[in-house]
Amino acid sequence: MDLAGFKQVKATTNKIALSTAVNSEADVKIVNVVWREEQPDTLYFSSVKDSPALAVYDQNPDVAFITVPNDGTPGNPYMRAQHVQLKRSDLTMADDLLPLYLETVPHYQTVWDMIGPSLVVFELKLKDVYVDPGLGQNKGTLHFN
């Protein structure tokens, strides 16, 4: 699998189901994600800085995810990965990622207006990502170094 299939699927989604676990207790959250082509092995999401989820992210940064296709996307394209490393980012929403969120996540301006200053950025460092561009298309695993 090459980056073209990854980009094709990423174009059909702006959300992932992010799976975490602490003390044998699994949890899944739907979060908005963005991707920057200049750093292809990283997805970004944000969380409210006083959310209980931050303690979970800090305790066990080994996570899994699957993309959630946008409404009406034909063929059910998706990507999924396990053992993805989650870490707090040096990037900020206001200075680095807000334009990308506004471009790729519908109605994100409303989210930003309500809770923007309280958001902190996280990175999902990708290693092996299973990419299925949709029914009848070539699927496979994309490997990042």
Side-chain angles (χ1 to χ4, degrees), residues 34-39 42 44-46 88-104 108 112 116 119-123:
V34 294
W35 177 73
R36 300 179 339 153
E37 194 162 349
E38 63 269 20
Q39 195 168 8
T42 306
Y44 300 91
F45 74 96
S46 63
R88 291 180 189 242
S89 181
D90 292 331
L91 301 181
T92 66
M93 287 296 292
D95 295 333
D96 302 301
L97 296 177
L98 183 57
L100 193 51
Y101 270 88
L102 293 173
E103 178 185 323
T104 59
Y108 197 79
W112 180 253
L119 295 174
V120 292
V121 178
F122 288 88
E123 298 180 4

Side-chain angles (χ1 to χ4, degrees), residues 56-127:
V56 173
Y57 301 155
D58 290 338
Q59 272 189 313
N60 189 0
D62 183 39
V63 301
F65 75 85
I66 188 167
T67 56
V68 178
N70 294 336
D71 289 343
T73 300
N76 197 33
Y78 69 92
M79 294 184 285
R80 71 172 183 239
Q82 297 175 320
H83 303 295
V84 176
Q85 294 305 299
L86 181 152
K87 71 174 202 156
R88 291 180 189 242
S89 181
D90 292 331
L91 301 181
T92 66
M93 287 296 292
D95 295 333
D96 302 301
L97 296 177
L98 183 57
L100 193 51
Y101 270 88
L102 293 173
E103 178 185 323
T104 59
V105 180
H107 313 293
Y108 197 79
Q109 185 67 54
T110 303
V111 173
W112 180 253
D113 292 344
M114 292 175 63
I115 61 171
S118 68
L119 295 174
V120 292
V121 178
F122 288 88
E123 298 180 4
L124 296 169
K125 295 307 251 179
L126 308 175
K127 292 181 184 166

Side-chain angles (χ1 to χ4, degrees), residues 44-56:
Y44 300 91
F45 74 96
S46 63
S47 186
V48 177
K49 63 182 159 191
D50 61 358
S51 168
L54 273 62
V56 173

Side-chain angles (χ1 to χ4, degrees), residues 132-144:
D132 183 339
L135 297 173
Q137 297 189 48
N138 292 331
K139 49 190 153 197
T141 302
L142 177 59
H143 304 284
F144 292 98

